[in-house]
Every structure is written in structure tokens, then in C-alpha cells.
Amino acid sequence: MRRTALAALLAATTALTLAFSMPSRAAEEAVVIPPPALDAAPASGIQTAVLAGGCFWGVQGVFQHTGGVVNAVSGYSGGTKATADYQAVSSGRTGHAEAVEIKYDPKKISYGKILQIYFSVVHDPTQLNRQGPDVGPQYRSAIFTTSDEQKKVAEAYIAQLNGAKVFNKPIVTKVGALEAFYPAEAYHQDYLTLHPNQPYIAYNDIPKVENLKKLFADNYIEKPTLVNAGKATN
């Protein structure tokens, strides 16, 4: 029993050490892509975009560092209210995707620019029902549109990027009307900012924010726009 316990402890210690020594690069590399040829018309008032692109921690984190975004909330879209909780969604059988509701000021950032950031640095839109180490339909690439105009812009942009062959494989992102968005549990909100040294965040998500700063310098803001007033910890 002692030998078994010791072996388990050593295995756990080794795994933790390896996790913290992972190279500082994202599982999905950023891709330089052109802006959309078709964008949403200028509008007044706060607008809403809902995007899914893998684990919502990183998606939220990127858009919280994006100028013009007034709020970005992690949550679930695609299923029912009854199954909109992390344990159920993690089964992959609820129809939900981990998604982020983005409230933005169209006078400061356009819907098209949000999509450009989404396709470029947030995730790899060619991965079907997965993203990096996360596997299942809950991690699918999906755009939940809130208007016919958003649908038109999203579909045109996907066609534009596929036509230009900016990715090595076709984009598999699904575009569909938003039926509902359900905010995730409180402990999922602002996760990247509150846990920057957590191995998953450090390896998969912090590099996405760094790529945002590098590729979209005009849209990057250093201080994130947080959901909660929680104090960041290391």
C-alpha cells in the first residue's frame, strides 16, 4: 500500500511539473487573415454577438482585452435552460456549446472586426467538435447570430476566408440563429484574469491574448473588462 501510494504521489508530482513546464505557445496558432469584405452597417446602441470556439475561458479572456467590448460573459448556447450547467454540458449530450456573449459598442468596434479576431486569434475554425485538447460538440466552433444581418456577414466572411484559402483546411464553423444564452456559473467568469498561472490557461489561453496584442494592436486594451470585481491572483 505504501509503495502504491508513493508511486501515485510521484506520478502526480511529475504531471504537475510537466504541466508547469509546458512551452509558452497556444495549442492553436494565430493566423493572419484579411478583414471581412462585408461588415455590418453602422449602428447606435450596444450590440450583442455570441460566439463559441472551444473552452470559454480563453474566448472570454481575449474579448475582455478587446477595445469596444463593454462586457463578455461565459455561458452556454444551443440547448435548453434545464441543461445549461457545466456538469451537464460537459457530457457533450445537451446540444449546448461553451459560448461567450459579447456586448460591444459598434462605434468603437464592428461586428466584422469581432469576427476577424474570432477566426484569427481566438480559435482554429477548421477543427470539428473540438479545440486543442478539448474534445466534444460542446467545444464546437459556432456563431449564434442575433439578426439576419449578422448571419449574412458571418456566412459571407466564412466564404471569403475559404475562397482565399487562408487556412489549410475548410472552416467548419456553424452559423445559426441564437435561441438563448445562459450565463455560466460564477467561478467560470473572468477565469483567465483570476488564474493566469493555471497550467491550462498559461499554455492554451494566455498566448491568445498575446497574439491579440500583436496582431490587433489597435483593438487591444491592457486592462481587461471584467464581469466580476474579483481581485486577480497569481
Side-chain angles (χ1 to χ4, degrees), residues 190-198 230-234:
D190 306 330
Y191 199 90
L192 181 146
T193 297
L194 295 173
H195 307 282
N197 292 330
Q198 199 257 31
K231 190 174 181 180
T233 58
N234 291 326

Short mmCIF file of all heavy atoms in Angstrom, two decimals, residues 190-198 230-234:
data_model
loop_
_atom_site.label_atom_id
_atom_site.label_comp_id
_atom_site.label_asym_id
_atom_site.label_seq_id
_atom_site.Cartn_x
_atom_site.Cartn_y
_atom_site.Cartn_z
N ASP A 190 -14.34 35.51 -15.72
CA ASP A 190 -13.03 36.17 -15.54
C ASP A 190 -11.93 35.17 -15.21
O ASP A 190 -10.92 35.51 -14.59
CB ASP A 190 -13.09 37.22 -14.42
CG ASP A 190 -14.21 38.24 -14.62
OD1 ASP A 190 -14.55 38.52 -15.78
OD2 ASP A 190 -14.72 38.76 -13.61
N TYR A 191 -12.09 33.93 -15.65
CA TYR A 191 -11.19 32.86 -15.23
C TYR A 191 -9.75 33.11 -15.67
O TYR A 191 -8.81 32.88 -14.91
CB TYR A 191 -11.68 31.51 -15.77
CG TYR A 191 -11.09 30.33 -15.03
CD1 TYR A 191 -11.73 29.80 -13.92
CD2 TYR A 191 -9.90 29.75 -15.43
CE1 TYR A 191 -11.20 28.73 -13.22
CE2 TYR A 191 -9.35 28.68 -14.74
CZ TYR A 191 -10.01 28.17 -13.64
OH TYR A 191 -9.46 27.11 -12.94
N LEU A 192 -9.57 33.60 -16.88
CA LEU A 192 -8.21 33.83 -17.37
C LEU A 192 -7.49 34.87 -16.52
O LEU A 192 -6.32 34.70 -16.16
CB LEU A 192 -8.26 34.27 -18.83
CG LEU A 192 -6.92 34.53 -19.53
CD1 LEU A 192 -7.00 34.14 -21.01
CD2 LEU A 192 -6.51 35.99 -19.42
N THR A 193 -8.18 35.96 -16.18
CA THR A 193 -7.56 37.02 -15.38
C THR A 193 -7.28 36.56 -13.95
O THR A 193 -6.24 36.89 -13.38
CB THR A 193 -8.47 38.26 -15.37
OG1 THR A 193 -8.58 38.76 -16.70
CG2 THR A 193 -7.90 39.35 -14.47
N LEU A 194 -8.19 35.81 -13.39
CA LEU A 194 -8.05 35.39 -12.00
C LEU A 194 -7.06 34.25 -11.80
O LEU A 194 -6.53 34.07 -10.71
CB LEU A 194 -9.42 34.98 -11.44
CG LEU A 194 -10.45 36.11 -11.34
CD1 LEU A 194 -11.81 35.56 -10.94
CD2 LEU A 194 -9.99 37.18 -10.35
N HIS A 195 -6.81 33.48 -12.88
CA HIS A 195 -5.93 32.30 -12.75
C HIS A 195 -4.90 32.25 -13.88
O HIS A 195 -4.81 31.25 -14.60
CB HIS A 195 -6.76 31.02 -12.74
CG HIS A 195 -7.86 31.03 -11.73
ND1 HIS A 195 -7.64 30.82 -10.38
CD2 HIS A 195 -9.20 31.25 -11.86
CE1 HIS A 195 -8.79 30.90 -9.73
NE2 HIS A 195 -9.76 31.16 -10.59
N PRO A 196 -4.10 33.28 -14.07
CA PRO A 196 -3.19 33.33 -15.22
C PRO A 196 -2.11 32.25 -15.19
O PRO A 196 -1.57 31.90 -16.25
CB PRO A 196 -2.57 34.73 -15.13
CG PRO A 196 -2.66 35.07 -13.66
CD PRO A 196 -3.96 34.48 -13.22
N ASN A 197 -1.79 31.73 -14.01
CA ASN A 197 -0.73 30.72 -13.90
C ASN A 197 -1.27 29.30 -13.84
O ASN A 197 -0.49 28.35 -13.70
CB ASN A 197 0.15 31.00 -12.68
CG ASN A 197 0.96 32.27 -12.85
OD1 ASN A 197 1.31 32.64 -13.97
ND2 ASN A 197 1.24 32.95 -11.76
N GLN A 198 -2.58 29.14 -13.93
CA GLN A 198 -3.15 27.79 -14.01
C GLN A 198 -2.63 27.16 -15.30
O GLN A 198 -2.64 27.81 -16.36
CB GLN A 198 -4.68 27.90 -14.03
CG GLN A 198 -5.37 26.60 -13.66
CD GLN A 198 -5.93 25.90 -14.89
OE1 GLN A 198 -5.37 26.00 -15.97
NE2 GLN A 198 -7.02 25.18 -14.72
N GLY A 230 -13.71 40.77 -8.84
CA GLY A 230 -12.75 39.94 -8.11
C GLY A 230 -11.34 40.40 -8.34
O GLY A 230 -10.99 40.92 -9.40
N LYS A 231 -10.50 40.22 -7.36
CA LYS A 231 -9.11 40.63 -7.44
C LYS A 231 -8.28 39.53 -8.08
O LYS A 231 -8.33 38.38 -7.69
CB LYS A 231 -8.56 40.93 -6.04
CG LYS A 231 -7.19 41.59 -6.03
CD LYS A 231 -6.80 41.98 -4.61
CE LYS A 231 -5.46 42.67 -4.60
NZ LYS A 231 -5.06 43.06 -3.23
N ALA A 232 -7.51 39.89 -9.08
CA ALA A 232 -6.68 38.90 -9.79
C ALA A 232 -5.64 38.31 -8.87
O ALA A 232 -5.08 39.00 -8.01
CB ALA A 232 -6.01 39.55 -10.99
N THR A 233 -5.40 37.01 -9.02
CA THR A 233 -4.40 36.32 -8.21
C THR A 233 -3.45 35.57 -9.13
O THR A 233 -3.80 35.23 -10.26
CB THR A 233 -5.06 35.32 -7.25
OG1 THR A 233 -5.83 34.38 -8.01
CG2 THR A 233 -5.97 36.03 -6.26
N ASN A 234 -2.27 35.28 -8.65
CA ASN A 234 -1.29 34.54 -9.44
C ASN A 234 -1.25 33.08 -9.03
O ASN A 234 -1.60 32.74 -7.93
CB ASN A 234 0.11 35.15 -9.29
CG ASN A 234 0.18 36.52 -9.96
OD1 ASN A 234 -0.47 36.74 -10.99
ND2 ASN A 234 0.94 37.42 -9.40
#
